[in-house]
Amino acid sequence: MTTTTDLNQPTRESSAAPAGRRLSLPAVLLIIAGGLALTSLVRIITGADGITNVSQMSTALELAVPIGLAGLGGLWAERAGVVNIGLEGMLILGTWFGAWAGYQWGPWTGVVLGIVGGAIGGLLHAIVTVTFNVNHIVSGVAINILALGATRYLAPLAFEGVEGGTAKQSPPVDSLGDFTVPGLSSALSDLNAHGWFLVSDLAGLLGGLVTNVSWLTLIAVALIPATWWILWRTSFGLRLRSCGENPVAAESLGVNVYKYKYLAVIISGGLAGLGGVFLSIVANPFYLEGQTSGRGYIGLAAMIFGNWMPGGLAIGAGLFGYTDSLNLRGGSENVHALLLLGAILLVIGAVWTAIRKKYVQAAVTFVVGVLVFAWYAGTNEVPNQVVSATPYVITLVVLAFSAQRLRAPKAGGLPYRKGQGK
């Protein structure tokens, strides 16, 4: 006896859902609260008040947005079965097109053209991988190289000789504007300044969300639940995800697999392009060669950390954005304080791993935790090189510890030809 699935009806859970037990929302909130409490305890012990102040959290949010948008783009593509290593290149295209259009015709025009620039990169990736079945990794790397080369060629032609522009930098772009919630922002800042356990840290976190927030940040944050609703609560999303799980079965039920893969990868490029726009208009009011600094790859890591789910991706982007912000605000002192937090978390991880009877992993984790604590206790600061490398180290550590819970779409990266199931 066989059964079929109606792909015209959205489902609450489908075969695209991660296998195994998933954490419930209360459990996730409890973990976040526990992490914030530990961070508050470390702040009090070390005296590094900067790790949770309003300005630190505001900077972290700003740095998390392009990472999150790149990761969101990767999620759309990979849910349709196309691995998108080219996110870095699409970010680069977004930065250039956004600044090029923004300084001439206004920042909002720059936003639109930046999205279009990223979408062009996505379209190219779709043509190469979906139509011609080129290896997805090879195509993505080629797009990264092509985008870098193209913008290096175009930048001198477009910006050199223009007032405020050089061969590697665009003229300034007008601001999109930002907002601060009056009353609430100042109240949270005052509460954060008291230095109370947990309460002040929570005030710092919330204060960063309502102080000097760009309008583009609001759009980026809104795209997280919008993506979840479209992909998990609509028939369009169900068809798209079915292409990433079993395209042959999807085709047998009448789904145009090519169309959905193309749409997903073009949307993926557009979202990455929007992340590039954020870098060249909001984070910096100009295009600057090399300003993406590998955020496309970190966005991909955030998507993997989030188990190809929008909510987990948002948490991952926030974590990586926070560690990146340490470079800008009291980096050495704050990173030194976070060594203690890292040691505590490693010991907790070792205990949890031992409870699950994985004794070898538990022993290794415990030893690493002891070494990190020894590093913290034996020094007063960390080298600047360590501060600069912190986001990338955190990326590797987080992926290493979360790898066992990951479940990628089954058909991700696999070649597909129309009618191959017949």
Side-chain angles (χ1 to χ4, degrees), residues 89 92-101 103-104 117 120 145-162 165-171 287 289:
I92 293 172
L93 292 173
T95 61
W96 192 90
F97 277 96
W100 172 72
Y103 88 87
Q104 298 181 89
I120 291 172
I145 297 172
L146 179 63
L148 182 61
T151 52
R152 281 183 175 176
Y153 173 76
L154 292 172
L157 298 178
F159 305 139
E160 200 168 23
V162 180
T166 68
K168 295 185 178 182
Q169 179 178 315
S170 74
Y287 162 82
E289 185 179 302

Short mmCIF file of all heavy atoms in Angstrom, two decimals, residues 89 92-101 103-104 117 120 145-162 165-171 287 289:
data_model
loop_
_atom_site.label_atom_id
_atom_site.label_comp_id
_atom_site.label_asym_id
_atom_site.label_seq_id
_atom_site.Cartn_x
_atom_site.Cartn_y
_atom_site.Cartn_z
N GLY A 89 30.24 36.01 -2.83
CA GLY A 89 30.23 36.77 -4.07
C GLY A 89 28.96 37.58 -4.24
O GLY A 89 28.99 38.72 -4.73
N ILE A 92 29.21 40.61 -2.18
CA ILE A 92 30.08 41.59 -2.82
C ILE A 92 29.31 42.35 -3.90
O ILE A 92 29.40 43.59 -4.01
CB ILE A 92 31.32 40.89 -3.42
CG1 ILE A 92 32.21 40.34 -2.30
CG2 ILE A 92 32.11 41.85 -4.30
CD1 ILE A 92 33.36 39.47 -2.79
N LEU A 93 28.54 41.63 -4.71
CA LEU A 93 27.73 42.29 -5.73
C LEU A 93 26.73 43.26 -5.11
O LEU A 93 26.49 44.35 -5.64
CB LEU A 93 27.01 41.24 -6.58
CG LEU A 93 27.89 40.36 -7.48
CD1 LEU A 93 27.06 39.26 -8.12
CD2 LEU A 93 28.57 41.21 -8.55
N GLY A 94 26.14 42.87 -3.99
CA GLY A 94 25.20 43.75 -3.30
C GLY A 94 25.86 45.01 -2.80
O GLY A 94 25.28 46.11 -2.89
N THR A 95 27.08 44.90 -2.26
CA THR A 95 27.77 46.09 -1.77
C THR A 95 28.05 47.06 -2.92
O THR A 95 27.84 48.27 -2.79
CB THR A 95 29.10 45.73 -1.07
OG1 THR A 95 29.97 45.08 -2.00
CG2 THR A 95 28.87 44.83 0.12
N TRP A 96 28.53 46.53 -4.05
CA TRP A 96 28.90 47.42 -5.16
C TRP A 96 27.68 48.06 -5.80
O TRP A 96 27.62 49.28 -5.97
CB TRP A 96 29.69 46.64 -6.23
CG TRP A 96 30.34 47.58 -7.21
CD1 TRP A 96 31.57 48.13 -7.11
CD2 TRP A 96 29.74 48.10 -8.41
NE1 TRP A 96 31.79 48.97 -8.18
CE2 TRP A 96 30.69 48.97 -9.00
CE3 TRP A 96 28.51 47.91 -9.04
CZ2 TRP A 96 30.44 49.66 -10.19
CZ3 TRP A 96 28.25 48.59 -10.22
CH2 TRP A 96 29.21 49.45 -10.79
N PHE A 97 26.69 47.25 -6.17
CA PHE A 97 25.51 47.79 -6.83
C PHE A 97 24.74 48.74 -5.90
O PHE A 97 24.21 49.76 -6.35
CB PHE A 97 24.59 46.66 -7.30
CG PHE A 97 25.00 46.07 -8.61
CD1 PHE A 97 25.78 44.92 -8.66
CD2 PHE A 97 24.63 46.65 -9.80
CE1 PHE A 97 26.17 44.36 -9.86
CE2 PHE A 97 25.02 46.11 -11.02
CZ PHE A 97 25.80 44.96 -11.06
N GLY A 98 24.69 48.40 -4.61
CA GLY A 98 23.99 49.27 -3.66
C GLY A 98 24.63 50.63 -3.56
O GLY A 98 23.94 51.67 -3.60
N ALA A 99 25.96 50.68 -3.44
CA ALA A 99 26.65 51.96 -3.31
C ALA A 99 26.64 52.72 -4.63
O ALA A 99 26.46 53.95 -4.66
CB ALA A 99 28.08 51.72 -2.85
N TRP A 100 26.81 52.00 -5.75
CA TRP A 100 26.82 52.65 -7.06
C TRP A 100 25.49 53.36 -7.34
O TRP A 100 25.46 54.51 -7.79
CB TRP A 100 27.10 51.61 -8.13
CG TRP A 100 26.96 52.13 -9.53
CD1 TRP A 100 27.79 52.99 -10.19
CD2 TRP A 100 25.90 51.80 -10.44
NE1 TRP A 100 27.31 53.23 -11.45
CE2 TRP A 100 26.16 52.51 -11.65
CE3 TRP A 100 24.78 50.99 -10.37
CZ2 TRP A 100 25.32 52.42 -12.76
CZ3 TRP A 100 23.95 50.88 -11.48
CH2 TRP A 100 24.22 51.59 -12.65
N ALA A 101 24.40 52.68 -7.08
CA ALA A 101 23.09 53.30 -7.30
C ALA A 101 22.75 54.30 -6.19
O ALA A 101 22.10 55.32 -6.43
CB ALA A 101 22.01 52.22 -7.39
N TYR A 103 24.63 56.39 -4.27
CA TYR A 103 25.18 57.74 -4.25
C TYR A 103 24.63 58.60 -5.39
O TYR A 103 24.67 59.83 -5.34
CB TYR A 103 26.72 57.69 -4.28
CG TYR A 103 27.36 57.66 -5.64
CD1 TYR A 103 27.66 58.83 -6.34
CD2 TYR A 103 27.71 56.45 -6.23
CE1 TYR A 103 28.26 58.80 -7.58
CE2 TYR A 103 28.32 56.40 -7.47
CZ TYR A 103 28.59 57.58 -8.15
OH TYR A 103 29.18 57.55 -9.38
N GLN A 104 24.10 57.95 -6.44
CA GLN A 104 23.57 58.70 -7.59
C GLN A 104 22.08 59.02 -7.44
O GLN A 104 21.64 60.13 -7.74
CB GLN A 104 23.78 57.90 -8.87
CG GLN A 104 25.24 57.64 -9.21
CD GLN A 104 25.38 56.88 -10.51
OE1 GLN A 104 25.46 57.45 -11.58
NE2 GLN A 104 25.39 55.55 -10.41
N GLY A 117 21.51 43.14 -7.89
CA GLY A 117 22.87 42.67 -8.12
C GLY A 117 23.11 41.29 -7.54
O GLY A 117 23.67 40.41 -8.19
N ILE A 120 21.27 38.66 -9.53
CA ILE A 120 21.96 38.29 -10.77
C ILE A 120 22.98 37.19 -10.49
O ILE A 120 23.11 36.23 -11.25
CB ILE A 120 22.64 39.53 -11.39
CG1 ILE A 120 21.58 40.50 -11.92
CG2 ILE A 120 23.60 39.12 -12.51
CD1 ILE A 120 22.14 41.83 -12.38
N ILE A 145 34.84 34.26 -7.00
CA ILE A 145 36.00 34.82 -7.71
C ILE A 145 35.54 35.82 -8.76
O ILE A 145 36.12 36.91 -8.91
CB ILE A 145 36.82 33.69 -8.34
CG1 ILE A 145 37.39 32.78 -7.26
CG2 ILE A 145 37.95 34.26 -9.21
CD1 ILE A 145 38.05 31.52 -7.79
N LEU A 146 34.48 35.48 -9.50
CA LEU A 146 33.97 36.35 -10.56
C LEU A 146 33.45 37.66 -9.99
O LEU A 146 33.71 38.75 -10.55
CB LEU A 146 32.86 35.63 -11.32
CG LEU A 146 32.19 36.42 -12.45
CD1 LEU A 146 33.21 36.73 -13.54
CD2 LEU A 146 31.01 35.61 -13.03
N ALA A 147 32.72 37.60 -8.87
CA ALA A 147 32.18 38.83 -8.27
C ALA A 147 33.30 39.74 -7.79
O ALA A 147 33.24 40.96 -8.00
CB ALA A 147 31.26 38.46 -7.10
N LEU A 148 34.32 39.17 -7.18
CA LEU A 148 35.45 39.97 -6.72
C LEU A 148 36.17 40.62 -7.89
O LEU A 148 36.48 41.82 -7.86
CB LEU A 148 36.41 39.08 -5.92
CG LEU A 148 37.65 39.77 -5.32
CD1 LEU A 148 37.21 40.85 -4.34
CD2 LEU A 148 38.54 38.74 -4.63
N GLY A 149 36.40 39.85 -8.94
CA GLY A 149 37.08 40.40 -10.11
C GLY A 149 36.25 41.46 -10.82
O GLY A 149 36.78 42.50 -11.25
N ALA A 150 34.95 41.21 -10.93
CA ALA A 150 34.07 42.17 -11.63
C ALA A 150 34.00 43.50 -10.90
O ALA A 150 34.07 44.57 -11.51
CB ALA A 150 32.67 41.57 -11.78
N THR A 151 33.85 43.46 -9.58
CA THR A 151 33.77 44.72 -8.83
C THR A 151 35.10 45.46 -8.81
O THR A 151 35.13 46.69 -8.82
CB THR A 151 33.29 44.46 -7.38
OG1 THR A 151 34.10 43.45 -6.77
CG2 THR A 151 31.84 43.98 -7.38
N ARG A 152 36.21 44.72 -8.78
CA ARG A 152 37.52 45.38 -8.88
C ARG A 152 37.69 46.07 -10.23
O ARG A 152 38.35 47.11 -10.32
CB ARG A 152 38.63 44.36 -8.66
CG ARG A 152 38.87 44.00 -7.20
CD ARG A 152 40.03 43.04 -7.05
NE ARG A 152 40.32 42.79 -5.64
CZ ARG A 152 41.23 41.92 -5.21
NH1 ARG A 152 41.93 41.21 -6.10
NH2 ARG A 152 41.44 41.76 -3.92
N TYR A 153 37.13 45.50 -11.27
CA TYR A 153 37.21 46.11 -12.60
C TYR A 153 36.27 47.31 -12.71
O TYR A 153 36.64 48.35 -13.28
CB TYR A 153 36.87 45.06 -13.66
CG TYR A 153 36.75 45.63 -15.05
CD1 TYR A 153 37.89 45.96 -15.79
CD2 TYR A 153 35.49 45.84 -15.62
CE1 TYR A 153 37.78 46.49 -17.07
CE2 TYR A 153 35.37 46.36 -16.90
CZ TYR A 153 36.51 46.69 -17.63
OH TYR A 153 36.41 47.21 -18.87
N LEU A 154 35.06 47.17 -12.16
CA LEU A 154 34.05 48.22 -12.32
C LEU A 154 34.28 49.42 -11.41
O LEU A 154 33.93 50.55 -11.76
CB LEU A 154 32.66 47.64 -12.03
CG LEU A 154 32.13 46.62 -13.05
CD1 LEU A 154 30.84 45.99 -12.54
CD2 LEU A 154 31.90 47.28 -14.40
N ALA A 155 34.85 49.18 -10.21
CA ALA A 155 34.99 50.27 -9.24
C ALA A 155 35.79 51.45 -9.78
O ALA A 155 35.34 52.61 -9.64
CB ALA A 155 35.59 49.74 -7.94
N PRO A 156 36.96 51.25 -10.37
CA PRO A 156 37.67 52.41 -10.92
C PRO A 156 36.89 53.13 -12.01
O PRO A 156 36.93 54.37 -12.11
CB PRO A 156 38.97 51.80 -11.48
CG PRO A 156 39.15 50.52 -10.75
CD PRO A 156 37.76 50.01 -10.52
N LEU A 157 36.18 52.37 -12.85
CA LEU A 157 35.40 52.98 -13.93
C LEU A 157 34.26 53.84 -13.39
O LEU A 157 33.95 54.90 -13.93
CB LEU A 157 34.83 51.89 -14.84
CG LEU A 157 35.84 51.01 -15.59
CD1 LEU A 157 35.11 49.95 -16.40
CD2 LEU A 157 36.73 51.85 -16.49
N ALA A 158 33.64 53.39 -12.30
CA ALA A 158 32.45 54.07 -11.77
C ALA A 158 32.79 55.16 -10.76
O ALA A 158 32.07 56.17 -10.68
CB ALA A 158 31.52 53.04 -11.13
N PHE A 159 33.85 54.98 -9.98
CA PHE A 159 34.08 55.86 -8.83
C PHE A 159 35.29 56.77 -8.97
O PHE A 159 35.32 57.85 -8.38
CB PHE A 159 34.24 55.02 -7.56
CG PHE A 159 33.09 54.09 -7.29
CD1 PHE A 159 33.31 52.80 -6.82
CD2 PHE A 159 31.79 54.49 -7.53
CE1 PHE A 159 32.26 51.94 -6.57
CE2 PHE A 159 30.72 53.63 -7.29
CZ PHE A 159 30.96 52.35 -6.80
N GLU A 160 36.30 56.34 -9.74
CA GLU A 160 37.51 57.16 -9.82
C GLU A 160 37.22 58.45 -10.56
O GLU A 160 36.58 58.47 -11.61
CB GLU A 160 38.62 56.38 -10.54
CG GLU A 160 40.00 56.92 -10.26
CD GLU A 160 41.09 55.97 -10.74
OE1 GLU A 160 40.81 55.16 -11.65
OE2 GLU A 160 42.21 56.04 -10.21
N GLY A 161 37.67 59.57 -10.02
CA GLY A 161 37.42 60.87 -10.61
C GLY A 161 36.15 61.53 -10.14
O GLY A 161 35.90 62.71 -10.41
N VAL A 162 35.29 60.79 -9.42
CA VAL A 162 34.07 61.35 -8.85
C VAL A 162 34.40 61.89 -7.46
O VAL A 162 35.19 61.28 -6.72
CB VAL A 162 32.96 60.28 -8.76
CG1 VAL A 162 31.69 60.86 -8.15
CG2 VAL A 162 32.68 59.69 -10.13
N GLY A 165 35.21 59.73 -4.33
CA GLY A 165 35.43 58.35 -4.76
C GLY A 165 36.87 58.09 -5.14
O GLY A 165 37.61 59.01 -5.49
N THR A 166 37.28 56.83 -5.08
CA THR A 166 38.60 56.39 -5.51
C THR A 166 38.44 55.09 -6.29
O THR A 166 37.32 54.61 -6.49
CB THR A 166 39.54 56.16 -4.31
OG1 THR A 166 39.08 55.01 -3.56
CG2 THR A 166 39.59 57.38 -3.39
N ALA A 167 39.57 54.53 -6.68
CA ALA A 167 39.52 53.27 -7.43
C ALA A 167 39.00 52.13 -6.58
O ALA A 167 38.56 51.10 -7.12
CB ALA A 167 40.91 52.93 -7.96
N LYS A 168 39.03 52.26 -5.26
CA LYS A 168 38.59 51.18 -4.37
C LYS A 168 37.45 51.59 -3.45
O LYS A 168 37.02 50.78 -2.62
CB LYS A 168 39.77 50.69 -3.51
CG LYS A 168 40.88 50.05 -4.32
CD LYS A 168 41.95 49.49 -3.41
CE LYS A 168 43.04 48.80 -4.22
NZ LYS A 168 44.09 48.21 -3.34
N GLN A 169 36.95 52.80 -3.60
CA GLN A 169 35.91 53.27 -2.69
C GLN A 169 34.93 54.17 -3.43
O GLN A 169 35.32 54.98 -4.26
CB GLN A 169 36.54 54.05 -1.53
CG GLN A 169 35.55 54.61 -0.53
CD GLN A 169 36.23 55.33 0.62
OE1 GLN A 169 37.21 54.85 1.17
NE2 GLN A 169 35.70 56.50 0.98
N SER A 170 33.65 54.02 -3.11
CA SER A 170 32.62 54.84 -3.74
C SER A 170 32.48 56.17 -3.02
O SER A 170 32.93 56.31 -1.87
CB SER A 170 31.29 54.10 -3.71
OG SER A 170 30.75 54.11 -2.39
N PRO A 171 31.84 57.15 -3.65
CA PRO A 171 31.47 58.36 -2.92
C PRO A 171 30.48 58.03 -1.80
O PRO A 171 29.83 56.97 -1.82
CB PRO A 171 30.79 59.23 -3.99
CG PRO A 171 31.29 58.68 -5.28
CD PRO A 171 31.50 57.23 -5.06
N TYR A 287 30.85 52.04 -0.56
CA TYR A 287 31.44 50.76 -0.95
C TYR A 287 32.94 50.84 -0.72
O TYR A 287 33.59 51.84 -1.03
CB TYR A 287 31.16 50.47 -2.43
CG TYR A 287 32.07 49.43 -3.03
CD1 TYR A 287 31.82 48.08 -2.85
CD2 TYR A 287 33.21 49.82 -3.75
CE1 TYR A 287 32.68 47.12 -3.38
CE2 TYR A 287 34.06 48.86 -4.29
CZ TYR A 287 33.79 47.51 -4.10
OH TYR A 287 34.65 46.57 -4.62
N GLU A 289 36.39 48.17 -1.18
CA GLU A 289 36.86 46.85 -1.60
C GLU A 289 37.25 45.99 -0.39
O GLU A 289 37.97 46.43 0.50
CB GLU A 289 38.07 47.01 -2.52
CG GLU A 289 38.57 45.70 -3.10
CD GLU A 289 39.76 45.91 -4.03
OE1 GLU A 289 39.61 46.67 -5.01
OE2 GLU A 289 40.83 45.33 -3.76
#
